[in-house]
Amino acid sequence: MEREKVDLLQPLWRALVVFRVITWAFACFGVWTRWDGIVRPSGALLQLAVMGIWTLISSLGYSRRWGRRNTRLAFADLIVTVGCMYATLWAQPLVDIRGGASVLTSVWAAGPVLALAISRGRDGGLLGAATISLALLSLRGVDNASKILSNVQLLLVAGLVVGYAASTLRQAGARLRSAIAAESATAERLRLSRSIHDGVLQVLAQVQRRGTAIGGDAIELAQLAAEQEVALRTLMSTRPAVAEGGRVDLCGLLLPLATTRVDVVVPATKVLMPARTAAELVAAVKEALSNVSKHAGQDARCWIAVEDLGDDVVVSIRDDGVGTTPARLEQARVDGHLGVSQSIRGRIADLGGTVAVRTAPGEGTEWELKVTA
């Protein structure tokens, strides 16, 4: 239902239905004005009846979702329309048509061109225009190609213009649906944030204060409450990493890594990059945090900072732990500990990025991961 509400192509389908009905009426008027020149009037009436029935069927289809959700009806429309063009032979001999008699379908034959343009874009419009043009050329004959050139040009222009408009509207509709979904998610997040802030966070803060004041075994309870408070606040402030054209917001993926010992600092605006690049970069950051937990010391804190340089993105992971030396890092690689060489350096190298590490005993460790956005 939501998809139907934001279907920007509906006005084009409605216009096609109106076009079909009006052009069928024009075809009837054309037969009436040329009645005396038609060799077999009964054939003309039969042709108009077939066109009228198909106009009703196709109009009902284009007015319903089942007729618009794929191109089956549009292709069927193309086949029937070509058949109706050749049905002019019921009313007029081929020699008369090539001698200048009108093809009785007239502009009604442009219907499937517009239908394919709306459903398949530019390529569909061109396919429909080419098919109708070839059918018209086969009826008129190669000798009369110059006389139907204007009709062919109009069909091609209609297919191109309507196809381009339909593609643009389809893309706009997809962006609109994404915007509605994001707005709904943001509204729900704000509602939950208010509820959490008014209830859960206040309780956790109270438990933390009382546990610290009581001391003893209650200190562990206070620490757990503090960790959960940070986790909830992080969840409330996290930005959705919504994909936009195959790109995701790196900040939205890194913010959930914040804990009582890990601070995450990101720009106010989104830092968009390919989804695979972002996933590999986050995996490298998690490996760096794992090293902090294992080697930096029990009380070490860590800071993650994201810097958007335009073409490049730099992620820094710094801790205030015990630190180490570059020689020890190299020795760990030689000894088969692949966390640094593969999970960090290897991932970033596969992305075409660079890794810099600065560390010294007693001065903590800082990783700098630089990749192309």
Side-chain angles (χ1 to χ4, degrees):
M1 292 299 294
E2 186 65 28
R3 182 177 180 180
E4 285 292 312
K5 292 179 181 178
V6 294
D7 185 5
L8 301 182
L9 293 177
Q10 281 191 8
L12 291 180
W13 289 114
R14 294 192 187 105
L16 175 59
V17 171
V18 174
F19 175 85
R20 265 312 209 185
V21 174
I22 292 177
T23 53
W24 178 76
F26 283 165
C28 293
F29 180 76
V31 170
W32 179 71
T33 58
R34 295 188 294 270
W35 185 261
D36 293 337
I38 297 177
V39 176
R40 292 184 289 273
S42 59
L45 292 176
L46 178 59
Q47 179 183 5
L48 291 176
V50 173
M51 291 169 57
I53 293 172
W54 181 249
T55 297
L56 178 62
I57 294 173
S58 61
S59 296
L60 288 175
Y62 294 141
S63 300
R64 301 290 186 271
R65 187 172 180 271
W66 62 265
R68 304 193 302 258
R69 63 186 176 185
N70 54 51
T71 58
R72 292 177 183 174
L73 181 59
F75 277 114
D77 194 0
L78 180 64
I79 294 172
V80 172
T81 299
V82 170
C84 287
M85 292 176 67
Y86 282 107
T88 302
L89 297 175
W90 295 346
Q92 296 284 91
L94 182 61
V95 64
D96 289 353
I97 296 175
R98 293 186 174 179
S102 298
V103 176
L104 300 185
T105 51
S106 184
V107 73
W108 183 84
V113 177
L114 303 180
L116 286 169
I118 296 172
S119 60
R120 298 298 293 266
R122 177 199 62 192
D123 294 342
L126 289 178
L127 174 63
T131 303
I132 297 298
S133 298
L134 289 174
L136 184 60
L137 181 62
S138 67
L139 285 169
R140 289 293 192 184
V142 178
D143 295 338
N144 295 315
S146 60
K147 296 180 180 179
I148 66 171
L149 182 60
S150 59
N151 294 331
V152 173
Q153 290 175 338
L154 288 175
L155 288 171
L156 291 174
V157 169
L160 282 172
V161 173
V162 176
Y164 177 77
S167 298
T168 302
L169 288 174
R170 190 172 287 108
Q171 293 170 2
R175 286 193 290 266
L176 178 59
R177 287 191 292 271
S178 297
I180 291 174
E183 183 180 3
S184 300
T186 300
E188 180 65 13
R189 183 180 294 274
L190 290 175
R191 186 187 67 80
L192 291 175
S193 296
R194 288 193 294 268
S195 300
I196 291 173
H197 182 271
D198 294 340
V200 180
L201 288 180
Q202 293 181 3
V203 172
L204 289 174
Q206 181 67 15
V207 171
Q208 181 184 357
R209 288 193 298 269
R210 291 291 296 165
T212 302
I214 294 172
D217 294 338
I219 292 181
E220 182 179 356
L221 181 62
Q223 292 175 344
L224 291 175
E227 292 176 357
Q228 292 304 309
E229 182 184 2
V230 171
L232 282 175
R233 290 188 183 278
T234 300
L235 178 63
M236 291 164 57
S237 61
T238 297
R239 303 200 301 252
V242 179
E244 298 184 7
R247 300 169 71 83
V248 298
D249 180 16
L250 176 65
C251 302
L253 298 176
L254 290 177
L255 283 172
L257 300 181
T259 66
T260 54
R261 295 173 54 190
V262 179
D263 292 329
V264 180
V265 181
V266 299
T269 57
K270 292 182 179 181
V271 179
L272 297 177
M273 60 173 49
R276 176 181 174 275
T277 301
E280 290 296 295
L281 187 54
V282 171
V285 171
K286 288 181 178 179
E287 179 62 29
L289 292 178
S290 177
N291 285 338
V292 173
S293 177
K294 293 176 182 177
H295 308 298
Q298 185 176 1
D299 299 326
R301 291 184 57 82
C302 184
W303 295 265
I304 301 173
V306 179
E307 187 177 3
D308 188 358
L309 303 180
D311 293 336
D312 297 320
V313 173
V314 176
V315 178
S316 301
I317 308 100
R318 180 174 62 85
D319 67 72
D320 60 358
V322 297
T324 184
T325 64
R328 288 180 180 177
L329 291 176
E330 178 61 23
Q331 185 60 44
R333 185 190 68 80
V334 173
D335 292 342
H337 300 290
L338 304 179
V340 171
S341 63
Q342 294 297 325
S343 295
I344 299 180
R345 294 186 186 276
R347 277 194 169 96
I348 303 304
D350 289 343
L351 297 175
T354 59
V355 176
V357 58
R358 291 180 286 275
T359 184
E363 298 183 6
T365 302
E366 180 177 5
W367 291 92
E368 185 177 274
L369 315 180
K370 184 177 183 180
V371 298
T372 300

